[in-house]
Amino acid sequence: MSTALPAPEFKPFNLALIQLGQITADKSANLKHARSMIQKAASGEGIGEVKGKPDIIVLPECFNSPYGHVHFPVYAETIGFKHGQAYDVQSSVSESVKMLSEAAKEAGVWLLGGSIPERDASDDKLYNTATVYSPQGELVAIHRKVHLFDIDIPGKIKFKESETLTGGSTTSFFDTEFARIGLGICYDVRFPELAAISARQGCQVLIYPGAFNTTTGPLHWELLQRARAVDNQVYFSMCSPARDLTAKYHAWGHTLVMDPMGVKLIEAEDGEYILHVHIDPKAFHEARAGIPVTTQRRFDVYPDVSKGL
Ligand SMILES: O=C(O)CCC(=O)C(=O)O
């Protein structure tokens, strides 16, 4: 998605990230638990630097279903969101969208509702899709995971989302009264172009629901987030499910937030947590003033990836 509109002024805000546990085969139970954790986050429960109620709450990747390509067709819901068109949540056939909209409205917060398996009714294709709600409960943006997680590390992990999913074909962000926030999902973090495009479209903060694993998590989870934060001089955060050793897929956990200098502001361990962190534009402006890469790029030597979209 591209836009001519300038980004909102970056103002201080409070971010809460829910490293959700108890993601089972029972979708209704998953939704109920997620809703109660959103209420807890909104009331300030959790760890970290809490300065009042959060302005935005984030859930992890695939929060309503077990994670795996065999599960996506079973749990997929039709959303029917179209960029630039109003969305009527009341008539939505997605129970997850309805729950998330109600939860955002009752808490009076922005809600990045992690991701869910989505079925596009027009062609039956499946996507891994993040949805975003305003404090009034409107569905304002979605992001379909662009890069599918297809890896094979012999003896360690083999995963092929493309067995059942299709990759999204747009970059995505949404505007709040305190920041422009860029979206991606998990494996998208390995593709620096996506974050660079969001940053050059004016996003001051990038948040990706994610679910790394116990092989690539210790190697790359923190490194990639620090890299995306530093190379774009933005706040960068990924929100993971809690680790569940009874599940087939062992999520890494370790939800964290990097500031624009690559300083880690908070990090969970691997259990269920609500993390609260205060996001201060000062660090963003200081990083850009002190190390002015945003004005030193040489688009006469290499192309600007954000152009031509
Ligand atoms: O990139 C990785 O190592 C993990 C990615 C992943 O788990 C995902 O895309 O869901």
Side-chain angles (χ1 to χ4, degrees):
M1 191 199 337
S2 64
T3 183
L5 288 176
E9 185 193 344
F10 191 11
K11 298 189 187 139
F13 71 95
N14 291 331
L15 166 66
L17 300 144
I18 301 178
Q19 184 164 294
L20 194 69
Q22 300 174 37
I23 301 175
T24 66
D26 180 344
K27 193 200 278 188
S28 306
N30 298 339
L31 294 180
K32 198 165 163 213
H33 180 58
R35 188 170 189 156
S36 85
M37 291 296 282
I38 293 167
Q39 285 160 351
K40 285 185 185 173
S43 69
E45 266 189 55
I47 60 166
E49 184 193 3
V50 184
K51 285 191 182 155
K53 179 178 163 177
D55 297 290
I56 176 163
I57 296 176
V58 182
L59 289 173
E61 181 179 22
C62 210
F63 82 91
N64 71 355
S65 132
Y67 190 45
H69 69 83
V70 292
H71 303 295
F72 301 138
V74 181
Y75 287 77
E77 297 178 26
T78 295
I79 301 176
F81 180 88
K82 299 259 178 303
H83 287 291
Q85 288 179 18
Y87 182 88
D88 180 8
V89 173
Q90 300 310 321
S91 336
S92 177
V93 292
S94 164
E95 57 181 317
S96 299
V97 164
K98 282 192 165 147
M99 181 285 278
L100 292 167
S101 161
E102 284 166 21
K105 194 171 172 183
E106 79 197 0
V109 293
W110 290 90
L111 177 63
L112 197 182
S115 77
I116 63 171
E118 179 206 358
R119 183 185 305 278
D120 191 319
S122 69
D123 55 11
D124 230 29
K125 285 186 178 158
L126 302 177
Y127 298 90
N128 184 341
T129 303
T131 58
V132 181
Y133 306 83
S134 72
Q136 291 73 41
E138 303 143 320
L139 176 58
V140 295
I142 68 163
H143 175 74
R144 288 174 165 171
K145 187 176 191 174
V146 172
H147 304 93
L148 297 181
F149 178 39
D150 286 358
I151 66 165
D152 186 358
I153 306 176
K156 299 268 170 80
I157 179 170
K158 185 170 179 182
F159 203 93
K160 202 157 183 222
E161 276 188 317
S162 65
E163 290 276 355
T164 49
L165 296 186
T166 298
S169 51
T170 56
T171 63
S172 320
F173 65 76
F174 60 100
D175 285 344
T176 65
E177 64 280 13
F178 46 82
R180 175 168 289 174
I181 300 181
L183 298 168
I185 300 177
C186 206
Y187 199 59
D188 282 339
V189 71
R190 291 190 181 271
F191 301 84
E193 292 88 347
L194 198 71
I197 290 166
S198 298
R200 288 184 207 156
Q201 287 177 332
C203 296
Q204 302 101 342
V205 179
L206 307 185
I207 307 180
Y208 292 15
F212 269 44
N213 52 78
T214 47
T215 299
T216 61
L219 289 168
H220 299 149
W221 171 259
E222 181 170 331
L223 173 74
L224 287 165
Q225 295 186 71
R226 178 167 283 121
R228 297 297 83 84
V230 172
D231 54 27
N232 297 295
Q233 299 182 313
V234 292
Y235 281 92
F236 196 99
S237 173
M238 289 173 78
C239 183
S240 172
R243 190 171 314 157
D244 174 3
L245 294 177
T246 67
K248 188 140 186 281
Y249 186 86
H250 297 162
W252 175 235
H254 292 267
T255 294
L256 61 81
V257 181
M258 290 290 176
D259 87 357
M261 279 294 207
V263 176
K264 190 166 54 181
L265 300 184
I266 195 163
E267 178 177 4
E269 295 181 3
D270 55 38
E272 183 169 74
Y273 287 93
I274 299 171
L275 289 82
H276 293 268
V277 67
H278 183 65
I279 302 296
D280 190 345
K282 200 161 163 266
F284 170 89
H285 295 303
E286 282 177 359
R288 289 183 173 209
I291 310 176
V293 294
T294 53
T295 58
Q296 293 170 328
R297 292 205 167 89
R298 292 288 309 275
F299 297 132
D300 56 325
V301 177
Y302 46 80
D304 178 352
V305 291
S306 70
K307 292 286 184 286
L309 292 174

